Amino acid sequence: MKLGIVGLPNVGKSTLFNSLTKAGAESANYPFCTIDPNVGVVTVPDERLKLLGDFYHSKKVTPAVIEFVDIAGLVKGASKGEGLGNQFLANIREVDAIVHVVRCFEDPNVIHVDGSIDPIRDIETINLELVFSDLEILERRIAKVTKTARMDKEAAKELEFLQKIKAHLEDGKLAITMELETEDEEAWMGTYNLLTWKPVIYAANVAEDELADDGASNPHVKAVKDYAVQQNSEVFVICAGIEEEISELDDDERKMFLEDLGLTESGLEKLVRASYRLLGLMSFLTAGEDETRAWTIKIGTKAPQAAGKIHTDFERGFIKAEVVNYQDLLDCGSYAGAREKGLVRMEGKEYVVQDGDVILFRFNV
């Protein structure tokens, strides 16, 4: 999974990126200190893996990973070359979802490019730049399809669809809010790679003392949540400064630190949950003496396709999946114990894999 982090300058974006990835992207109190898009790979926190790794005394425990791309602070006019320009928007065309960091804290010591705190204005500034960038992509596609549309019915249908999206964006709306009417429209939309078609997770960045109640007392957070509901987006509340402190601690210290703040999970854990929810993802597990590992798949994936995540041969030669729920396995104390109780099942090609399944695939190529 690949997530692109966007936001105006000085909203806490690079601070959050640093803390999530410990990659050390430079963060300073002025716009454009992030000149290159920074990329960091983060392991997905998953308690089940540690428990299963201990259970099997695995030599290696391999979590799922998320790749974060940190885009330099966008400003009004970025799509026309203002600030550092549109080149950075190209870096997020390949991501699965956009994490939009929004400033919801007041601090006279940290300047805001527009001089005041207004998260909805900030969101709409960024969205407008994404819309402009998408319109450029559409113009190029329209020019290409127009050439063949006179002679080709399929191209004529696509041209009509392109004009429809263009009109939608010119109204200031995001592509993701557009209702698609046919399978063709869905297929075409999937190939355009529009930024405003990507799902969005808003990271509402609050002051430290507003974190314990999840920003409930902050009117800016409420505004962002109300806005997100209309866009079918996710929101999670963070304090980027606290995340930076958490990132310096080991596991035991982190747990104590979070407890002292009245928190049950870090911002990274909140973000992972929000992104898995938004993208309809889950994890199944493989476990043994050599390696215990998490594999990320779409909810609703059938056993052969899940096997294909491990290796294409597993999918091609799929015979059966030997499945047990990870908690059942731990509760029984051994694989043999789980089998005796009838908790290990043999599943075929139509089995829909469930979150937390521990699977051994049988295949023959």
Side-chain angles (χ1 to χ4, degrees):
M1 178 163 55
K2 197 170 179 181
L3 302 176
I5 303 183
V6 301
L8 288 171
N10 297 343
V11 295
K13 186 174 57 68
S14 290
T15 305
L16 177 64
F17 175 81
N18 290 348
S19 57
L20 291 177
T21 62
K22 300 181 190 171
E26 185 188 354
S27 74
N29 183 20
Y30 56 91
F32 314 128
C33 61
T34 322
I35 301 301
D36 294 308
N38 292 274
V39 178
V41 175
V42 177
T43 58
V44 173
D46 193 338
E47 183 66 14
R48 301 172 301 188
L49 274 183
K50 186 185 181 311
L51 297 170
L52 276 175
D54 292 347
F55 181 85
Y56 277 102
H57 306 294
S58 304
K59 292 173 192 157
K60 191 175 167 193
V61 174
T62 309
V65 295
I66 296 179
E67 189 175 307
F68 286 103
V69 184
D70 177 34
I71 309 301
L74 293 170
V75 290
K76 203 175 285 182
S79 58
K80 298 276 179 282
E82 287 296 319
L84 291 163
N86 206 1
Q87 61 195 21
F88 294 102
L89 294 172
N91 295 313
I92 49 171
R93 288 220 177 264
E94 304 310 315
V95 301
D96 299 303
I98 291 171
V99 180
H100 188 156
V101 184
V102 191
R103 179 169 166 178
C104 294
F105 66 90
E106 305 276 352
D107 183 346
N109 298 316
V110 181
I111 55 170
H112 188 290
V113 284
D114 287 327
S116 62
I117 308 304
D118 182 346
I120 304 307
R121 176 201 60 207
D122 294 356
I123 288 171
E124 288 175 346
T125 296
I126 296 276
N127 282 350
L128 201 54
E129 296 312 314
L130 304 185
V131 164
F132 286 145
S133 185
D134 282 351
L135 282 169
E136 269 184 45
I137 297 283
L138 288 173
E139 294 284 5
R140 288 203 289 272
R141 182 73 190 164
I142 286 168
K144 192 177 176 188
V145 175
T146 302
K147 289 174 186 171
T148 52
R150 290 191 200 92
M151 313 293 290
D152 182 336
K153 280 184 183 173
E154 203 57 30
K157 272 173 28 185
E158 187 188 353
L159 183 59
E160 197 181 319
F161 177 58
L162 284 162
Q163 299 287 12
K164 198 163 80 173
I165 309 171
K166 184 169 176 268
H168 187 81
L169 293 181
E170 284 173 343
D171 271 352
K173 296 173 191 160
L174 308 184
I176 203 164
T177 63
M178 189 168 158
E179 283 191 30
L180 304 186
E181 291 165 14
T182 66
E183 284 182 13
D184 280 347
E185 289 187 352
E186 283 178 25
W188 288 324
M189 188 65 106
T191 64
Y192 303 149
N193 223 356
L194 299 179
L195 295 173
T196 62
W197 179 246
K198 294 185 186 297
V200 178
I201 304 160
Y202 292 104
N205 190 12
V206 300
E208 181 182 331
D209 58 0
E210 294 172 326
L211 204 52
D213 71 351
D214 208 37
S217 56
N218 184 321
H220 297 313
V221 172
K222 185 183 183 311
V224 173
K225 285 182 174 174
D226 291 346
Y227 183 89
V229 167
Q230 297 162 25
Q231 307 284 342
N232 292 327
S233 300
E234 289 277 343
V235 179
F236 73 106
V237 176
I238 46 135
C239 169
I242 290 291
E243 289 304 311
E244 198 163 37
E245 287 183 50
I246 291 172
S247 71
E248 303 300 323
L249 305 173
D250 64 33
D251 287 350
D252 290 340
E253 289 173 329
R254 185 177 299 138
K255 206 170 176 183
M256 282 168 59
F257 185 69
L258 287 170
E259 278 170 9
D260 286 347
L261 290 168
L263 304 173
T264 54
E265 58 184 353
S266 69
L268 174 59
E269 287 163 316
K270 283 185 187 177
L271 174 53
V272 168
R273 273 197 303 111
S275 50
Y276 269 56
R277 244 190 340 261
L278 190 67
L279 296 169
L281 300 175
M282 62 175 210
S283 297
F284 74 90
L285 311 156
T286 52
E289 206 175 293
D290 285 335
E291 184 182 37
T292 289
R293 183 165 182 166
W295 304 87
T296 304
I297 55 170
K298 283 263 186 197
I299 291 168
T301 300
K302 290 184 178 176
Q305 288 70 49
K309 285 292 275 187
I310 300 172
H311 199 287
T312 49
D313 284 353
F314 284 28
E315 183 174 354
R316 205 154 46 92
F318 179 87
I319 301 169
K320 289 279 181 195
E322 210 169 287
V323 183
V324 58
N325 175 270
Y326 95 99
Q327 193 61 59
D328 289 343
L329 178 57
L330 295 176
D331 290 346
C332 290
S334 71
Y335 200 83
R339 182 173 269 141
E340 273 170 34
K341 289 188 177 177
L343 296 169
V344 177
R345 312 179 312 278
M346 295 300 281
E347 300 286 2
K349 288 183 177 179
E350 292 305 306
Y351 176 67
V352 176
V353 176
Q354 301 300 305
D355 189 51
D357 277 350
V358 180
I359 307 181
L360 176 65
F361 292 105
R362 306 268 178 215
F363 71 103
N364 183 28
V365 176

